[in-house]
Amino acid sequence: ICSFISPDESIRSQVKELVGEERFHTIFMDADLEFCRKNKPDLYKKADEGQIENMPGVDSDYEKPGNPDIVMNPKDNGKNPEKIIEYLNQKGIFPLHE
């Protein structure tokens, strides 16, 4: 399992091509910028100071995925892991089915 910050559809398409369409799943964490800033304050401070370029939400845009496989929210009271495990199980990815 790999995680990629992919701010637009063209980058998502590139990643999908690299890992293979059958192995690519779009999991969208629908977190607002305020949550992101609180979650990673040092990272956003560096972006605000110009030490990091092309930071989605700071000096570049972020395009929400049009048709994600799962939409999660950081305020879901701990249910996000359950959503992912259920999805992986439905897809036969985890636990492994032989």
Side-chain angles (χ1 to χ4, degrees):
I1 296 177
C2 298
S3 174
F4 300 92
I5 297 174
S6 45
D8 62 47
E9 198 57 43
S10 68
I11 292 176
R12 292 180 199 115
S13 293
Q14 290 174 21
V15 174
K16 185 185 289 187
E17 189 175 319
L18 286 171
V19 300
E21 189 168 340
E22 71 284 350
R23 296 173 57 195
F24 182 84
H25 305 270
T26 302
I27 312 301
F28 173 51
M29 177 58 80
D30 194 5
D32 60 26
L33 186 57
E34 179 182 342
F35 177 87
C36 294
R37 284 183 177 280
K38 286 180 182 176
N39 189 48
K40 300 281 186 185
D42 293 339
L43 179 67
Y44 281 87
K45 182 180 179 195
K46 289 179 181 179
D48 289 335
E49 293 172 349
Q51 296 177 37
I52 299 174
E53 295 181 1
N54 299 315
M55 181 74 162
V58 177
D59 65 347
S60 69
D61 293 330
Y62 180 84
E63 175 186 299
K64 291 182 178 184
N67 192 22
D69 297 301
I70 301 176
V71 176
M72 300 191 318
N73 186 304
K75 299 172 186 173
D76 271 350
N77 296 324
K79 295 183 180 177
N80 289 317
E82 292 173 14
K83 281 174 117 174
I84 291 178
I85 290 170
E86 181 180 327
Y87 175 81
L88 294 174
N89 192 23
Q90 288 174 353
K91 296 293 180 179
I93 297 168
F94 176 85
L96 295 177
H97 299 285
E98 295 185 28

